[in-house]
Amino acid sequence: MNRRTTARRIAGTALAALALAGCGARGGGSPGTAALVGGDRITEQQVQARVTEFRAQAAELPTGQYQEQAGLVGTTVAAMVFDQVAEHAMAGHGLAVSPAEVAAYRADQARTWGGEPALAQMLLLKHAVPAGEIDRYCAEQVGLRKLAEQSGQQLGTTEGNRTVHQLLAQASTELRIAVNPRYGVWDPQQSVLDGPADSWLPATGAAA
């Protein structure tokens, strides 16, 4: 039974990957699919919107502070998939994050980094998080901390990180994620995107 179930999962993922390859190859008015996460579709239009927001904010940084490297689009796809993996893991364990918790975490981080502008710049440069996604990022961090605490661990410790990693791997497997091959392949055990650099994209140089 386990072998048959595994075979069905592999077949389903393979078919989804083939469908995604077709979406990436077709033109037309509707946007292509960047990834399928459970029953949800992340479109290339959504990915490009976040990339555009990121580049616009990076362009406002002082000259020389940011130089775009290959991989930005793939990193964005990976982040958008991971967002849903984390949400699935939390929901599966009956956890939620309130707006008040998000606000408290964000305020604490702002104090740590010397204010909201400094926090926003750090998240932009270190984690490719544009301003419009900061609350989501904060909610995710609070949620990961809750996952660790529910298991009697603390996020940031070896055991806490290992526990959360295992829960995310389980959630990632359950979602049967399929990523458009142009971005790479999702590794459910590591909850990361193994993929090529964005060599198919036009070179942009500095984000300015």
Side-chain angles (χ1 to χ4, degrees), residues 26 46-47 123 134:
R26 287 195 298 270
Q46 291 170 320
V47 174
L123 289 177
I134 292 179

Side-chain angles (χ1 to χ4, degrees), residues 89-115:
M90 289 174 56
H93 290 80
L95 298 173
V97 178
S98 70
E101 289 175 310
V102 172
Y105 180 87
R106 181 168 179 166
D108 180 67
Q109 291 299 300
R111 284 192 294 272
T112 298
W113 287 94

